[in-house]
Each structure stands twice: as C-alpha cells, then as structure tokens.
Amino acid sequence: MEKEVVNVQNFDLKETLTCGQTFTWSRTQGELYGNGEDVFYNFYNRKPVITWQKDNQLHIKTKADIEEVKKALGLQHSLENIFDSFPEDPLLEKAREKLWGLRIVQDEFFPCLISYLLSPQMRIPRIKEMYNRIAEEYGEEIEFEDVKMHRFPTPEELAKASEEELRDLGVGYRAEYIDKTTDILLQDFEPDTLRQMSYGKARKEMKKLYGVGNKVADCILLFSQGFYQAYPLDTWAKKAVKKHYPELHADNYTQTSENMRKYFGENSGYAQEYIFHAARKGLIEL
DNA sequence: CGCCAGGCTAGCG
DNA sequence: CGCTAGCATGGC
C-alpha cells in the first residue's frame, strides 16, 4: 500500500468532489451530497483510494498508482493556466472567487457512464443514492484501512442484472438505459478508443449508447475522457446562458453549446462547471 | 394536488 | 431534419 502526502496548490478537494460533477466518490462516513466527514474514497482499476486534504497537503492511501489518483482529481494541469485561457468575463470571475480550487475530475468511464444514465429528470443527491444502491447490490464489498467500501460493478457484473431487477432498485425508466447500454458495451463498443477521436466524433460515438443524448454525452466526455472543450447544457447551465449570455443562446442544444465553446475556448468545460456550481449554489443570479 | 429534477427516445409532420 | 409526448420516482 502506498501512503503519501502530496503538496497541492490551487486545489480544493471538497469543492471538487461535492460540486455535482461526480457520483463515483463517497465519504467514508456520511453522504457525499449531505453531511459527513471530509475523508473520501473511490476505486481505480478495482484498487481502493482514500484521500483527505489539510491545507496544501493532500493525504492519499491507496493500492493504486499515486499519479493515477492525482490525474483523477484533475491535478495534472495548472488551474491558473486554464483560467488564463479564458476571456475576461465578469460572471466567471464571480464564480472563480467563490469556488477557486474546484477541478474537473477524471472518473473511470463505466461508473461515470452509469451515473449519468441515471441523471435525467433527477436531483443530484438522488442520483448518488441510486448509484450507491447499484454498487451495494452488484459490486464487491472491500475493506481497506478499516473502512468498508463498495466497489462499483464492472460492465460484465452489471450486465447480469435484468431490467426488472434494476427497476426494483427504484431507478425508474432509467433501468432500460442501463440494461441496453451494458449489452452494447459488451458487444460493440470500445471506450478506450474515445480519447483518440475528435470531440465531434467522440460525441457521436457516445450517442450509440442507449440513454446517452447530447447532454449526457458531454458530461461523460468531460468528466471521464478529458474533453475539456465539452460544455454540457443542463437546466442550470441553460438558465445561466439565457440570463447572462443571451446573444449566445440558440434554440437548440448543439448550437448553444457550440457558441459557449467558441466563447470560452478549449477549456470551456471548466468554465461551465464553475458557472453551473455557482448557479446551483445561488452565488450568481439566474 | 401539481410541479420539477444535471434529458432521453420514439414517432410524428 | 425539428418538434414534442411520455416516461418513473420522490420531495416540496
């Protein structure tokens, strides 16, 4: 086991994990989207990770590679360089002041995919609840450093679940998305090839999966495949565009998202997440 | 009770 | 193509 203390700058672990972008992380005690201890866990390549932050020190206990964990938390990039790449923008500046240190995570593809298949018409804390139920029902329980944790199932493990069994977990019509998408994944889909594709092609590829539309595709590409140009438009992001960038608002998803991408540039996904979180927290007007 | 929540697919014109 | 009804569930 590796136990390491990493010096980090311009990083806020709690803001990063509780801003609404990820459902794969959990708290060792309490609910990710509720109250609890600010000690978090996850898995990479089935290997457990526990991490917490004290000031500029990030503590990590893991059986996985430390560099992999740092990448998963978005620490491989300079946050200052990313913000330098943005145009001068009063709204983003306001969000930056409140949320500085929030980074875009890089979750594993499959858990990220399933979490966002669960997301349509659903509040964020409930998405996490459903995600946990799937992990508890179909994933392995692992004890690491005296903490009992549930690993999220692999595609093979989850493919064994029938649509009806999934419905019994209370996921509603999203059961069909998971049932059909796990079948497509096992038969005719190569997640590892996505990163080599252009953003446009990767988005088209993602939409072959049942239950993946424009918005969900953008979230998965941004939060798990490093497509930082993706600008997901959910209800909050749409409201923010209408209110603060009316001239960039078009009447369809693709055009509006493209307008925002052109305005903020190659890291527009970062701008989106700051604005999204600020909007949801009531830090900016809508 | 109605409305809404990190939207999607199918089926219409 | 673009547009929209229907979709499960729970909290307010």
Side-chain angles (χ1 to χ4, degrees):
Chain A
M1 196 222 16
E2 291 196 59
K3 187 172 176 180
E4 200 160 312
V5 180
V6 179
N7 284 314
V8 290
Q9 290 181 358
N10 306 320
F11 180 60
D12 187 326
L13 178 69
K14 187 178 178 180
E15 206 73 73
T16 296
L17 298 185
T18 63
C19 71
Q21 61 177 321
T22 181
F23 304 95
T24 70
W25 286 88
S26 303
R27 296 179 196 256
T28 55
Q29 286 183 19
E31 295 300 319
L32 181 65
Y33 291 115
N35 294 319
E37 203 178 352
D38 294 334
V39 179
F40 302 90
Y41 75 81
N42 202 346
F43 291 85
Y44 292 91
N45 296 323
R46 301 186 178 211
K47 294 172 184 166
V49 180
I50 294 177
T51 184
W52 67 96
Q53 180 173 22
K54 280 183 184 163
D55 301 319
N56 286 337
Q57 294 192 321
L58 186 67
H59 297 251
I60 301 171
K61 289 180 180 176
T62 186
K63 292 181 178 177
D65 178 39
I66 292 282
E67 288 307 311
E68 192 179 3
V69 176
K70 287 165 72 175
K71 277 188 188 174
L73 294 170
L75 288 165
Q76 76 275 39
H77 296 122
S78 159
L79 196 59
E80 287 174 328
N81 287 351
I82 288 169
F83 273 79
D84 284 347
S85 76
F86 294 139
E88 224 170 281
D89 184 272
L91 187 71
L92 182 58
E93 175 59 23
K94 203 169 176 181
R96 190 195 71 78
E97 284 172 13
K98 309 271 190 185
L99 304 175
W100 184 247
L102 188 168
R103 288 167 184 261
I104 300 290
V105 297
Q106 290 299 299
D107 282 345
E108 286 194 313
F109 176 77
F110 184 65
C112 181
L113 164 64
I114 300 299
S115 69
Y116 277 95
L117 284 182
L118 293 169
S119 71
Q121 305 287 106
M122 199 51 68
R123 291 172 210 275
I124 286 175
R126 284 199 61 212
I127 298 170
K128 179 57 177 162
E129 283 174 26
M130 296 189 293
Y131 179 93
N132 288 349
R133 260 176 253 154
I134 293 174
E136 284 162 22
E137 193 67 28
Y138 299 100
E140 185 185 0
E141 187 181 65
I142 290 174
E143 190 169 333
F144 176 62
E145 294 292 299
D146 298 323
V147 181
K148 282 184 181 172
M149 321 191 287
H150 275 280
R151 176 177 61 71
F152 198 75
T154 63
E156 291 76 12
E157 288 166 345
L158 192 54
K160 290 175 188 163
S162 69
E163 183 183 334
E164 191 166 355
E165 286 168 345
L166 291 166
R167 267 180 197 267
D168 288 342
L169 295 180
V171 302
Y173 60 82
R174 299 157 199 82
E176 188 182 5
Y177 296 170
I178 297 171
D179 187 48
K180 290 188 174 170
T181 282
T182 49
D183 285 345
I184 297 171
L185 275 182
L186 294 184
Q187 288 164 15
D188 183 30
F189 200 88
E190 293 291 336
D192 294 341
T193 61
L194 288 167
R195 285 178 182 277
Q196 303 150 15
M197 298 178 191
S198 67
Y199 164 66
K201 191 177 176 192
R203 201 161 69 118
K204 205 170 174 181
E205 186 68 14
M206 283 302 302
K207 286 163 75 174
K208 289 182 183 172
L209 300 173
Y210 193 79
V212 176
N214 287 325
K215 188 268 171 186
V216 166
D218 273 339
C219 285
I220 298 166
L221 291 177
L222 176 59
F223 302 133
S224 86
Q225 298 299 302
F227 285 89
Y228 296 100
Q229 64 271 59
Y231 199 100
L233 286 173
D234 68 299
T235 51
W236 294 98
K238 271 183 205 163
K239 281 183 200 169
V241 174
K242 272 187 186 171
K243 171 82 179 177
H244 298 277
Y245 310 94
E247 70 283 3
L248 297 177
H249 184 266
D251 54 5
N252 68 77
Y253 182 100
T254 304
Q255 188 60 56
T256 305
S257 180
E258 179 67 20
N259 290 345
M260 298 305 286
R261 179 164 32 263
K262 279 182 183 162
Y263 174 65
F264 282 117
E266 58 183 352
N267 294 306
S268 66
Y270 252 96
Q272 190 275 1
E273 199 56 21
Y274 272 73
I275 292 169
F276 162 80
H277 192 38
R280 215 168 68 84
K281 273 185 124 175
L283 302 175
I284 58 176
E285 240 182 281
L286 286 181

